[in-house]
Amino acid sequence: MSKKRLQVGQISYTNTLPVYYYVQTEKFINKADIIQQYPAQLNDAMAEGKIDVGPISSFSYAEHAEEYVLMPDICVGAKGPVNSIFLFSKKSIEKLDQAKIALTNTSATSVNLLKILLQKCKGLSPSYTVMRPVLSEMMVEHDAALLIGDEAIVAKRSDHGYFVYDLGQLWYEETGYPMTFAVWAIRRDALEQHEELLSELHHQFVLSKNKSQRDFTEVVEYTVKHFGADTDFWHGYYSGLIHDFTSEQIAGLEHYYAYAAELGLLPKPVKVTFWPADSYTTTSMN
């Protein structure tokens, strides 16, 4: 019986680019397909078995922790401002009790992080509506709107006059922890059939991440060309992101899962499980 090609997901956002930019894709010709989607789409495709490995919302990992394991060494997180996940509001955040909030339909982690921040940390009780990520439409009948990724970056640069809150910064102020927004997950049922290929893919991801972090210049030039803004903005943006899955990142993520369970967003707290279990080798461990 021939092996099926490995289905590799890729998030269509700039925040994962350092992990993919230097991957030698020629190593995977005839062995793997790379599929670009938004986080929420990848979450669904992974759950349905259409994607074998890729970056998904860290909340989605918690929902399927018995079916997935995580690649060590790589994630998307921040300790403080993440600069691509924003709550835009017509009033200050303390005045959002009973407010109507529009949520992007492209996220799981950030949507639930916002609920934790507003309901558990600030004691507010807003109502939520899920919408496509267009700020002008979201704010017509709502007091605030949550955007993530490149849509959030573009909206932040526009002259809209709203209060703007960075969810990474809010989380850090409330808990003292960094936040991990995306993780690279592997379906357990893909491990046996593709173990060697997955190992090489992980190796390529880590090499790309490390090379990018040593010098973001080439990644920034690519991003400016394809997404606009200037080099200073993107250098600052990439420098503020965390792509190393450190012990501190794990602690912050498991704290987030515990809060989510307290609010009933998850049935129980979740612990992070890596593949392979005995080779957590990130050089950035605290």
Side-chain angles (χ1 to χ4, degrees):
M1 179 178 175
S2 61
K3 290 184 178 181
K4 72 163 188 171
R5 292 163 64 93
L6 185 69
Q7 302 299 294
V8 182
Q10 181 176 0
I11 291 178
S12 303
Y13 282 148
T14 53
N15 60 12
T16 63
L17 190 59
V19 178
Y20 285 91
Y21 188 78
Y22 293 106
V23 169
Q24 298 176 36
T25 54
E26 65 273 11
K27 288 180 176 287
F28 306 102
I29 293 175
N30 300 323
K31 297 179 182 178
D33 299 312
I34 296 179
I35 301 163
Q36 287 200 353
Q37 293 181 326
Y38 285 112
Q41 294 172 319
L42 280 178
N43 294 345
D44 292 342
M46 192 88 164
E48 294 165 5
K50 296 176 181 177
I51 299 289
D52 298 309
V53 56
I56 60 171
S57 300
S58 52
F59 187 83
S60 185
Y61 163 72
E63 292 181 302
H64 301 276
E66 294 182 359
E67 302 162 51
Y68 305 163
V69 289
L70 297 185
M71 284 186 165
D73 308 322
I74 49 176
C75 71
V76 178
K79 188 175 183 178
V82 65
N83 292 313
S84 58
I85 302 174
F86 296 117
L87 178 69
F88 299 87
S89 180
K90 296 174 182 176
K91 57 185 78 173
S92 65
I93 195 168
E94 293 78 12
K95 298 179 180 179
L96 289 178
D97 194 34
Q98 306 300 317
K100 295 189 294 182
I101 299 179
L103 304 173
T104 176
N105 64 359
T106 60
S107 169
T109 300
S110 301
V111 162
N112 288 292
L113 177 59
L114 180 64
K115 293 177 180 179
I116 289 168
L117 289 167
L118 295 182
Q119 295 167 219
K120 180 168 179 59
C121 297
K122 296 190 177 296
L124 307 177
S125 299
S127 60
Y128 305 101
T129 304
V130 177
M131 299 182 64
R132 69 191 191 109
V134 180
L135 184 62
S136 59
E137 296 177 7
M138 299 168 91
M139 296 298 273
V140 171
E141 296 182 355
H142 296 84
D143 301 297
L146 175 68
L147 289 177
I148 72 166
D150 299 330
E151 291 93 353
I153 293 171
V154 171
K156 176 70 159 49
R157 293 203 300 260
S158 65
D159 184 19
H160 44 63
Y162 298 130
F163 291 91
V164 182
Y165 297 95
D166 186 305
L167 264 63
Q169 180 65 26
L170 290 176
W171 172 255
Y172 182 66
E173 290 173 356
E174 292 288 347
T175 67
Y177 284 110
M179 182 61 200
T180 300
F181 297 95
V183 293
W184 270 256
I186 308 169
R187 287 188 59 90
R188 291 179 186 269
D189 55 20
L191 287 173
E192 184 175 347
Q193 192 174 27
H194 296 289
E195 184 172 7
E196 186 175 339
L197 188 58
L198 285 164
S199 181
E200 176 59 29
L201 184 66
H202 176 245
H203 180 64
Q204 287 287 319
F205 285 156
V206 173
L207 287 179
S208 179
K209 177 202 69 171
N210 290 342
K211 187 172 182 178
S212 298
Q213 289 177 336
R214 284 194 295 270
D215 185 355
F216 283 117
T217 300
E218 193 171 334
V219 174
V220 165
E221 289 174 353
Y222 176 92
T223 310
V224 169
K225 180 179 179 180
H226 290 86
F227 296 92
D230 57 35
T231 56
D232 287 344
F233 171 81
W234 289 112
H235 270 290
Y237 175 65
Y238 285 121
S239 298
L241 290 177
I242 295 172
H243 289 100
D244 298 320
F245 211 157
T246 67
S247 57
E248 189 178 24
Q249 292 298 127
I250 295 168
L253 187 55
E254 291 181 348
H255 194 70
Y256 164 78
Y257 292 152
Y259 275 1
E262 287 182 29
L263 284 183
L265 302 172
L266 290 173
K268 61 182 180 180
V270 172
K271 296 294 183 182
V272 172
T273 303
F274 289 101
W275 169 85
D278 59 350
S279 64
Y280 181 32
T281 58
T282 188
T283 56
S284 302
M285 285 284 288
N286 292 346

